[in-house]
Amino acid sequence: MLLGFPQAVYTLEGCETAAQVAEEAKRAEFLAPLAVVGSIVGSWLVGLAYVLALLFSVQNIASVQATTYAIPIAQLFYDAVGAKLTVMCLVVVGLAQFMASVTAFTASSRLINRFQAPYWGMWMSVLVGCIISCAYIGSAVAFNAILSSAAIAVMLSYLQPIAIRTFGQTRFQSADHLG
């Protein structure tokens, strides 16, 4: 499923931004965990609804596989709801992906320099994102492989601190603050 529906995997990564901006919140000790758990639950519910809607709306698998559209999900929408609602669905998906990319660019720019306004970091993140997107011009398969491997790598990155904590010889020290 991770390789088949990378759009749905994006909803599982929603807690990342809440965790990265938690240090700036007032009463962060209470609100940050609440925001992370809330974003996980909300993203899980929305992602589950999206995946189920996609799976139950497939009318003809052969039609989706043999589509002439640039993205097969457009054919799936067209078969399920017709031309006008397909445009609306694609606009909603496009807006959601735009908002997610703005959030991702903002969060990644903060990793470059967290003590100043992330102007240059933001534009560097946008440039890297545009360069990766250029892979779609050469090959849609290569672009989807990049997206799928990135989504899986993010999920696997959560395994690292758990493995260090479980199998490592050293113990983590408690910190008074993170910044």
Side-chain angles (χ1 to χ4, degrees):
M1 184 168 115
L2 289 179
L3 293 174
F5 291 109
Q7 298 95 346
V9 173
Y10 300 146
T11 62
L12 301 175
E13 298 174 7
C15 64
E16 198 71 31
T17 304
Q20 289 178 354
V21 298
E23 65 188 35
E24 298 176 6
K26 294 180 181 178
R27 295 185 44 217
E29 70 279 355
F30 173 73
L31 294 177
L34 186 65
V36 170
V37 170
S39 67
I40 289 171
V41 170
S43 295
W44 188 84
L45 291 174
V46 170
L48 180 65
Y50 182 63
V51 168
L52 289 176
L54 286 178
L55 292 175
F56 283 112
S57 64
V58 173
Q59 303 291 317
N60 185 359
I61 294 175
S63 170
V64 174
Q65 290 175 335
T67 186
T68 58
Y69 293 129
I71 51 176
I73 199 165
Q75 183 67 48
L76 186 135
F77 288 152
Y78 183 77
D79 291 345
V81 295
K84 290 183 181 179
L85 287 177
T86 296
V87 172
M88 186 191 77
C89 289
L90 291 176
V91 167
V92 168
V93 168
L95 285 174
Q97 289 180 343
F98 175 75
M99 297 298 181
S101 66
V102 168
T103 303
F105 290 145
T106 303
S108 66
S109 68
R110 291 181 42 74
L111 297 175
I112 296 168
N113 188 354
R114 66 181 200 148
F115 297 113
Q116 295 178 0
Y119 180 78
W120 291 110
M122 174 73 89
W123 284 110
M124 188 176 91
S125 296
V126 169
L127 178 67
V128 169
C130 289
I131 289 170
I132 291 172
S133 297
C134 287
Y136 190 74
I137 295 170
S139 169
V141 173
F143 181 71
N144 285 330
I146 291 170
L147 291 183
S148 297
S149 64
I152 292 170
V154 167
M155 297 302 166
L156 290 176
S157 71
Y158 294 132
L159 183 63
Q160 181 181 5
I162 296 170
I164 291 171
R165 176 69 180 202
T166 304
F167 302 113
Q169 298 297 323
T170 60
R171 297 285 180 217
F172 286 115
Q173 298 294 323
S174 146
D176 293 334
H177 59 85
L178 298 176

